[in-house]
Amino acid sequence: MSSFVVLRHDEEPAAKWSEKTVFVRDAFSVFALALPVVWLFWNRLWILGIGAVLAFILVSTIAVQSPVYAWIPMGFSILFSLLVALEGPAWRIAAFQKSGYQYSGVVEAESLENAELAWLARQPESVSAPTETPVSFERIQYDDDLIFSTSGNG
């Protein structure tokens, strides 16, 4: 099971469920370990992603200067991948908080859907999930209606 950090947007009232409520999985990311720069851009961490690209360019430039430093890009890549895989979710949470979200709690669940259901179950009665407007059907019966006719042999 993973822990999900729940963030609620400041504009939304605290006692209402909102579509702007965000659940961030706070766990090790295999995708971030494999492709850290892509993961940063995918999660809209633009400044960190651009900084990572520039850092990789700088490290590669240093390594090209002398064969003694040829091991530096590989070591930097491994360490950077581990850093993003471990700290990436915390960076996402910080980015959401900078854009107007605030911490609301933590939920333990196996998936995002289960986390949302668990969060709704923990909320007081005044909090309700968004619902569609109820649709009511009226049955209109006409005297010459053959489809809904109750008379006859049948």
Side-chain angles (χ1 to χ4, degrees), residues 1 9 11 13 32 47 50 52 66 95 125:
M1 292 221 316
H9 201 274
E11 295 174 356
I47 295 173
I50 292 169
S66 173
E125 292 294 323

Side-chain angles (χ1 to χ4, degrees), residues 8 10 15 18 31-32 57 91 93 98 113-114 118 122 134 148:
R8 186 183 51 80
D10 285 340
S18 169
F31 180 56
I57 290 171
W91 295 339
I93 292 167
K98 275 187 169 182
E113 292 81 18
N114 290 342
R122 288 175 41 184
F148 297 105

Side-chain angles (χ1 to χ4, degrees), residues 25-92:
R25 184 174 165 261
D26 192 15
F28 183 84
S29 174
V30 177
F31 180 56
L33 181 67
L35 299 167
V37 176
V38 175
W39 187 90
L40 289 170
F41 286 126
W42 180 267
N43 287 291
R44 296 184 179 136
L45 299 170
W46 307 114
I47 295 173
L48 289 172
I50 292 169
V53 169
L54 293 175
F56 277 111
I57 290 171
L58 178 67
V59 168
S60 298
T61 304
I62 292 171
V64 170
Q65 300 299 323
S66 173
V68 175
Y69 301 120
W71 58 273
I72 291 178
M74 184 178 63
F76 178 76
S77 177
I78 291 170
L79 289 176
F80 184 74
S81 295
L82 281 172
L83 180 67
V84 173
L86 292 170
E87 291 298 320
W91 295 339
R92 284 188 65 204

Side-chain angles (χ1 to χ4, degrees), residues 9 11 14-15 17-18 21-22 24 26 40-41 46-47 54 81 90 94 103 108 116 128-129 134 136 145 151:
H9 201 274
E11 295 174 356
W17 170 262
S18 169
T21 302
V22 177
V24 178
D26 192 15
L40 289 170
F41 286 126
W46 307 114
I47 295 173
L54 293 175
S81 295
Y103 174 83
E108 294 284 330
E116 290 173 346
S128 60
S136 62
D145 190 0
S151 64

